Amino acid sequence: MRIMIFIEGTTFYTRPLLFLFTKYGYKPIGNAVKTVNMLYDKGHEIYLCSYVRKARYCFIKAIVDFYGMNYTEILCREKDETYSEIVEQLKPDILIEDDCKSIGGLKECCITHVKEEIKQNIQSIIVPEFAGIDSIVID
């Protein structure tokens, strides 16, 4: 099963702007690392998606690796690419993201902008921003 999980706001709390350029600007929310690793260990493909652009891929990879989170691949947008385009290309079975409360709410969620014919095949799980994924149950 392919599971796409957003990093910032969903599995990691991001600290104030000045700290976002170091690994210390990211802190796992609750047991996010354990939860993701458990899903990975069960054989699920885990695709982590970050808001950083492809040019900063090494930065976000270093953070995720620092905390020991297992994954299949980390996804970042190209300059003119949208999150929904990434979802449409990957076509995950499950998409886990936060409710985007700080940037406008559900209308900003990735699943909102995915083409209907693709969206109908994706189980969307939306959690409150910065509440984490500890309560997610996936077999």
Side-chain angles (χ1 to χ4, degrees), residues 10-63:
T10 306
T11 57
F12 281 86
Y13 174 76
T14 50
R15 294 186 181 184
L17 186 59
L18 291 176
F19 292 103
L20 288 181
F21 300 103
T22 73
K23 64 186 172 195
Y24 303 108
Y26 284 72
K27 180 182 175 197
I29 301 169
N31 291 312
V33 173
K34 182 179 177 182
T35 301
V36 171
N37 288 350
M38 183 180 63
L39 293 170
Y40 184 85
D41 291 344
K42 286 183 177 182
H44 298 298
E45 294 177 34
I46 303 297
Y47 295 87
L48 301 175
C49 186
S50 177
Y51 73 69
V52 302
R53 298 287 184 175
K54 189 80 96 180
R56 295 194 64 217
Y57 171 85
C58 291
F59 168 74
I60 199 67
K61 181 181 182 334
I63 290 167

Side-chain angles (χ1 to χ4, degrees), residues 1-132:
M1 182 177 303
R2 285 183 176 192
I3 303 172
M4 182 174 169
I5 307 170
F6 276 79
I7 296 173
E8 296 88 358
T10 306
T11 57
F12 281 86
Y13 174 76
T14 50
R15 294 186 181 184
L17 186 59
L18 291 176
F19 292 103
L20 288 181
F21 300 103
T22 73
K23 64 186 172 195
Y24 303 108
Y26 284 72
K27 180 182 175 197
I29 301 169
N31 291 312
V33 173
K34 182 179 177 182
T35 301
V36 171
N37 288 350
M38 183 180 63
L39 293 170
Y40 184 85
D41 291 344
K42 286 183 177 182
H44 298 298
E45 294 177 34
I46 303 297
Y47 295 87
L48 301 175
C49 186
S50 177
Y51 73 69
V52 302
R53 298 287 184 175
K54 189 80 96 180
R56 295 194 64 217
Y57 171 85
C58 291
F59 168 74
I60 199 67
K61 181 181 182 334
I63 290 167
V64 173
D65 291 347
F66 173 77
Y67 286 106
M69 187 177 280
N70 296 323
Y71 55 89
T72 303
E73 187 176 346
I74 296 175
L75 308 170
C76 299
R77 296 175 294 149
E78 295 288 352
K79 184 178 179 187
D80 296 320
E81 191 173 32
T82 65
Y83 294 122
S84 58
E85 289 172 327
I86 293 173
V87 175
E88 290 169 358
Q89 291 167 20
L90 182 64
K91 296 180 179 92
D93 299 296
I94 299 172
L95 171 62
I96 303 170
E97 61 183 316
D98 66 79
D99 63 9
C100 299
K101 184 177 181 179
S102 66
I103 59 168
L106 295 176
K107 70 180 180 358
E108 298 300 328
C109 286
C110 182
I111 195 67
T112 305
H113 305 283
V114 172
K115 293 175 186 168
E116 192 58 43
E117 63 270 15
I118 296 173
K119 185 189 303 189
Q120 66 188 3
N121 295 314
I122 299 173
Q123 178 186 350
S124 172
I125 299 173
I126 298 176
V127 298
E129 188 175 53
F130 301 116

